[in-house]
Amino acid sequence: MTAPNTFLWGAATSAFQIEGAAHTGGKGPSIWDDFCRSPGRTAPDADGAITCDHVNRYREDVALMQELNLDAYRFSISWPRVLPTGRGYVNSEGLDFYDKLVDALCDAGIVPCVTLYHWDLPSALQIELGGWENESLPQLFADYATIMYDRLGDRVRYWITLNEPWCSVDGGYFAGVHAPGIRDRARGYLAGHNLMRAHGMAVAAYRASRNNQGAISLALNSSYYFPATDSREDEAAAERGMLDFAGWFGDPIYFGDYPPEMREAYGDLLPAFSDEDARLLQKSIDFLSINYYTSELARHDASVGGMRYRREQFTDRPRTSTNWAIVPEGFRELLVWLDRRYGGLPMYVTENGIALPDHADDAGYVDDPDRVAYLRDHFAAARSAMDAGVNLCGYFVWSLLDNLEWAEGFSKRFGLIRCDFETLTRTIKASGRWYADWIARGGWADNGHGAVLDSSAAGGER
Ligand code: GBH
């Protein structure tokens, strides 16, 4: 893929977190609908039934995107809205919804970027087949993906197969705090393995489809690990941490296998890719897609099984509502690390943002200078990575609007736009206005960081 010559500034969301209409419109249940209904697994208010009611208000939301001057919008498709039981019967009302959304975006001049799987697996596939632990899931995912390529691929040029497989496994199978709520390392590595195989097959299906003119990737997430001390042991531990985090799913989609250090450390816990799997996975991304929120510390610890490091949190940093340390310089380091390891691919930041305890005034307006500062500092860190050679082509803020933060419920607000969950009224926050202005002024161009594009050659503003 050739890098587009226009930088895309966007915002991101996901289906379960904003759509609502969880039990209407012919949609089938997902593992997240089930998880939210299991007593004690989530915050009491965690419920996907209504959330932001985006299914019924998408036109208003697209108009708000225009007010924010967005070039692009990243959203996800709910697999069980399209295929209520995950396979077989197609719910045309669900497919029509995404078709209309893409049309509305195109009419508004906003580039759609589609994620096929942002964690909301059709319940039937979990109950009947055991979910991602079943080796037949990858083919079912590729079949579903093909339905979406066929229906939307004439207008959608940016595709992301899976959002953050690291989170699917860490939350869903290691910690058990996300659906399907399992706590078992071997089962987690197996689920992660089938997620990788699903990505490989879905990319092959894309490249074989009639609508294959766009670019496809997988959204990685990673903290950056700084060594806990400047000892050589901790420096090596931090590098192992990077392989364990970013490399776990980054290496397969670029090299076709897990990092050799992980294979050595985890042995039989990591399943083997067949030659066919490896062939499909190698170079299976046209661009790198990375979601970043925070950085952590790694300390050498031989008593920790596997990769022999201990994760620690920064103690000297301000923290967000989700209790993550704010470390913009780790963002720069992460982008550079990915660029070096994965051959200088074009890169998109597909999520970055902050949850804060917003306070709305009587008119619903939120003045959120800390969100502006977070974004400004992370934009600068990304720009500095570009100065170090990273070919960054776009940046999506998480999130367009306040939404359902998974098991944490509605209290963690990430939006550029406030959503009042009683009235469903949307109000652009100060950060949203700041972002609209940032985009209007050409991003970095007029903000003291130099121009991304040579403005004289491009004939003025972007
Ligand atoms: C993303 O997950 C999701 O894609 C999105 O749906 C979600 O709403 C958004 O972020 C905000 O959470 O947790 O102490 O190990 C990102 C989740 C955040 C997981 C940072 C790893 C590292 C610190 N990641 N986290 S910790």
Side-chain angles (χ1 to χ4, degrees), residues 274 289 361:
S274 69
S289 161
D361 69 14

Side-chain angles (χ1 to χ4, degrees), residues 13-14 17 74 118-119 163-164 166-167 170 178 219 221-223 225 245 291-296 311 313 319 322-325 350-355 398-399 403-406 408 412 414:
T13 62
S14 90
Q17 296 178 273
R74 173 177 176 238
H118 200 124
W119 309 350
N163 181 68
E164 303 183 351
W166 185 95
C167 279
D170 188 76
H178 280 188
N221 70 290
S222 189
S223 299
Y225 279 115
F245 208 145
N291 300 348
Y292 174 84
Y293 290 89
T294 189
S295 288
E296 299 170 53
R311 283 172 85 171
Q313 303 302 319
R319 287 172 175 274
T322 43
N323 205 26
W324 302 335
T350 39
E351 287 181 28
N352 172 240
I354 178 170
W398 185 271
S399 180
N403 57 49
L404 172 53
E405 178 57 15
W406 304 104
E408 310 254 24
K412 306 289 184 271
F414 279 91

Side-chain angles (χ1 to χ4, degrees), residues 2-75:
T2 49
N5 57 12
T6 307
F7 196 91
L8 294 180
W9 289 103
T13 62
S14 90
F16 181 72
Q17 296 178 273
I18 68 161
E19 282 186 354
H23 317 295
T24 58
K27 177 183 164 294
S30 78
I31 57 172
W32 267 97
D33 294 308
D34 299 344
F35 196 63
C36 289
R37 275 187 295 227
S38 349
R41 302 308 293 265
T42 63
D45 69 338
D47 178 359
I50 299 172
T51 61
C52 305
D53 196 32
H54 171 73
V55 161
N56 297 307
R57 292 165 201 256
Y58 73 93
R59 288 188 187 282
E60 178 186 352
D61 291 338
V62 172
L64 286 163
M65 294 176 211
Q66 284 184 292
E67 277 195 59
L68 293 187
N69 293 325
L70 300 190
D71 301 315
Y73 172 56
R74 173 177 176 238
F75 63 98

